[in-house]
Amino acid sequence: MRLLHTSDWHLGRSFHGVGMLDAQRNFVDQLVALVESRSVDVVLIAGDVYDRALPGLDVVKLLDDALVRITQAGASVVLTSGNHDSAIRLGFASRLLERGGVHLRTQVEELDVPVLFPLYTAQDSAGMGQLAIYGIPYLEPRLVAERLGAENPNHFDVTLAAVELIRKDVQKRRASGPVYPVVLAHTFASGGITSESERDLSIGGLGAVPLDLFEDFAYTALGHLHGRQELAPNVRYSGSPLAYSFSEAKHRKGAWLVDLDTHGVAVVEEVLWDAPKALATLRGTLEDLLGDTEHAWAESAYCQVTLTDAQRPAQAMERVRARFPDTLVLSFDPQGVQARTSTSYSNRLAAAEDDLGVCCGFLDHVRDRGANHAEEAALREALEAVRLQEAGL
């Protein structure tokens, strides 16, 4: 049985104000092509399918198209909800969709109800047992602890209770033959490496759950963390298909192609997705960034730029975008100068000798750069005009 482990699609998300729907369509195209070319049996989506609880109509249509195309390509889909999703809305029409090969596991009451697939070998077409795929949706401890019979309303206890329910179901089914359990879980497992674009799960109790909760399963497909990573040979995060923050600039976005047999995980292969645009994090003085040929590759990338000039350059964003037109974030970290004092702005006002000093002090306070000669002359002229107007001259 060949599984494609994905998660954290975050359909509808923007990147620093830039819409990503076209990039997400491109990802879906790549995924469908892979399903066809590699004969994938089941596509797993371990939560955060949408980026928000109320996705737009075009975003819902994109998921609809993706599910139709995946099933037409010959694969089933098992999908669970994440902390960004509305479990109720995402789970709508689940019984009807199941007839078409799309299996939704978004409710606590269904987490120990597996999606069953027969396992075959080339030598034995009669079957070698069942692959049982369970979906643990995102569990908000304060809302589900009582329903699960968890001892405390924290992430560890509610996840432990959910896993125990799955283990009991597996044992019951093994009385009738071999069962190989696969679990989807949208959670933060100990040892995972985070990035800036994930929403914190620590509200309501302890954030991380121990890795050994999942050791009894043939494979655990985790979602929530956006970096693709292996926590154990049979416990992995697929990561998000696209970068959703500049902290992910060095990620190699992809998924896991997992072959399972009667011994468990047989082969795990990394799959890489092509991103429509690269991400660049650039740092240096304005003149160095504009003149250094080593940064030529970033001219077509989404850029996060940190300027280290001792004084904040005038028209910095316009000048940066002249070379790097897709600069989305610009910040300043002056190097080689003493740190700014903690003098409050009210103290600055009190220290000013005249109105011109107040205006020039304001400019220095908000932009880390005093007024130049032209700006000081313009301020002096404006203040004089106000004085004459108030004097009735």
Side-chain angles (χ1 to χ4, degrees), residues 120-199:
Y120 298 97
T121 67
Q123 294 77 25
D124 186 0
S125 60
M128 297 295 293
Q130 290 182 317
L131 182 70
I133 302 180
Y134 298 84
I136 302 177
Y138 168 65
L139 302 173
E140 172 52 53
R142 296 170 299 180
L143 300 179
V144 304
E146 185 175 350
R147 293 156 64 187
L148 286 171
E151 187 173 342
N152 298 294
N154 59 51
H155 283 282
F156 169 74
D157 282 344
V158 298
T159 306
L160 174 62
V163 168
E164 286 300 324
L165 288 173
I166 292 173
R167 285 176 178 153
K168 290 179 181 178
D169 186 75
V170 171
Q171 290 302 319
K172 181 176 65 176
R173 293 178 184 278
R174 280 179 173 162
S176 302
V179 174
Y180 306 93
V182 169
V183 171
L184 283 72
H186 193 86
T187 190
F188 178 25
S190 297
I193 301 172
T194 64
S195 64
E196 293 176 359
S197 57
E198 301 122 8
R199 185 176 296 168

Side-chain angles (χ1 to χ4, degrees), residues 66-388:
L67 296 178
V68 169
R69 294 175 63 193
I70 291 170
T71 53
Q72 287 178 340
S76 298
V77 177
V78 181
L79 178 158
T80 191
S81 51
N83 54 300
H84 280 249
D85 300 308
S86 165
I88 294 175
R89 293 184 176 89
L90 186 61
F92 174 75
S94 59
R95 288 178 296 176
L96 183 62
L97 290 171
E98 192 155 342
R99 298 180 184 179
V102 177
H103 308 270
L104 308 181
R105 291 295 182 268
T106 64
Q107 300 183 32
V108 172
E109 292 75 16
E110 296 178 334
L111 61 81
D112 60 345
V113 179
V115 183
L116 299 173
F117 298 92
L119 280 177
Y120 298 97
T121 67
Q123 294 77 25
D124 186 0
S125 60
M128 297 295 293
Q130 290 182 317
L131 182 70
I133 302 180
Y134 298 84
I136 302 177
Y138 168 65
L139 302 173
E140 172 52 53
R142 296 170 299 180
L143 300 179
V144 304
E146 185 175 350
R147 293 156 64 187
L148 286 171
E151 187 173 342
N152 298 294
N154 59 51
H155 283 282
F156 169 74
D157 282 344
V158 298
T159 306
L160 174 62
V163 168
E164 286 300 324
L165 288 173
I166 292 173
R167 285 176 178 153
K168 290 179 181 178
D169 186 75
V170 171
Q171 290 302 319
K172 181 176 65 176
R173 293 178 184 278
R174 280 179 173 162
S176 302
V179 174
Y180 306 93
V182 169
V183 171
L184 283 72
H186 193 86
T187 190
F188 178 25
S190 297
I193 301 172
T194 64
S195 64
E196 293 176 359
S197 57
E198 301 122 8
R199 185 176 296 168
D200 185 18
L201 295 184
S202 62
I203 297 173
L206 300 176
V209 299
L211 191 60
D212 57 9
L213 282 184
F214 309 109
E215 64 183 1
D216 294 337
F217 304 127
Y219 185 78
T220 299
L222 295 175
H224 178 59
L225 300 187
H226 288 185
R228 187 168 46 88
Q229 51 201 292
E230 174 187 341
L231 304 187
N234 64 331
V235 183
R236 298 169 186 252
Y237 281 100
S238 66
S240 59
L242 296 166
Y244 292 120
S245 76
F246 280 103
S247 68
E248 302 171 44
K250 295 184 179 180
H251 287 187
R252 299 176 68 213
K253 293 300 183 181
W256 297 111
L257 199 60
V258 183
D259 287 348
L260 294 173
D261 59 21
T262 55
H263 301 288
V265 174
V267 179
V268 178
E269 179 184 343
E270 69 173 8
V271 173
L272 299 180
W273 309 124
D274 292 328
K277 269 187 178 291
L279 300 187
T281 54
L282 306 177
R283 180 183 177 88
T285 65
L286 178 60
E287 294 307 319
D288 286 344
L289 293 179
L290 296 183
D292 195 337
T293 57
E294 289 186 3
H295 301 312
W297 68 273
E299 293 173 1
S300 59
Y302 288 132
C303 296
Q304 175 182 267
V305 176
T306 302
L307 295 181
T308 60
D309 300 78
Q311 286 195 337
R312 185 174 300 193
Q315 298 180 317
M317 181 60 93
E318 291 83 350
R319 295 170 67 187
V320 167
R321 282 182 170 169
R323 183 178 187 189
F324 308 107
D326 288 314
T327 298
L328 304 181
V329 179
L330 179 64
S331 58
F332 301 90
D333 183 20
Q335 301 295 297
V337 296
Q338 292 183 345
R340 291 174 59 93
T341 66
S342 58
T343 304
S344 67
Y345 185 56
S346 59
N347 289 338
R348 284 174 176 268
L349 292 178
E353 296 180 355
D354 53 20
D355 290 344
L356 182 61
V358 171
C359 294
C360 291
F362 173 76
L363 289 180
D364 186 33
H365 180 76
V366 299
R367 68 181 189 181
D368 297 337
R369 177 168 58 86
N372 59 31
H373 292 300
E375 292 167 336
E376 187 173 334
L379 289 170
R380 184 179 288 108
E381 182 180 346
L383 290 170
E384 180 64 14
V386 171
R387 187 188 68 79
L388 292 175

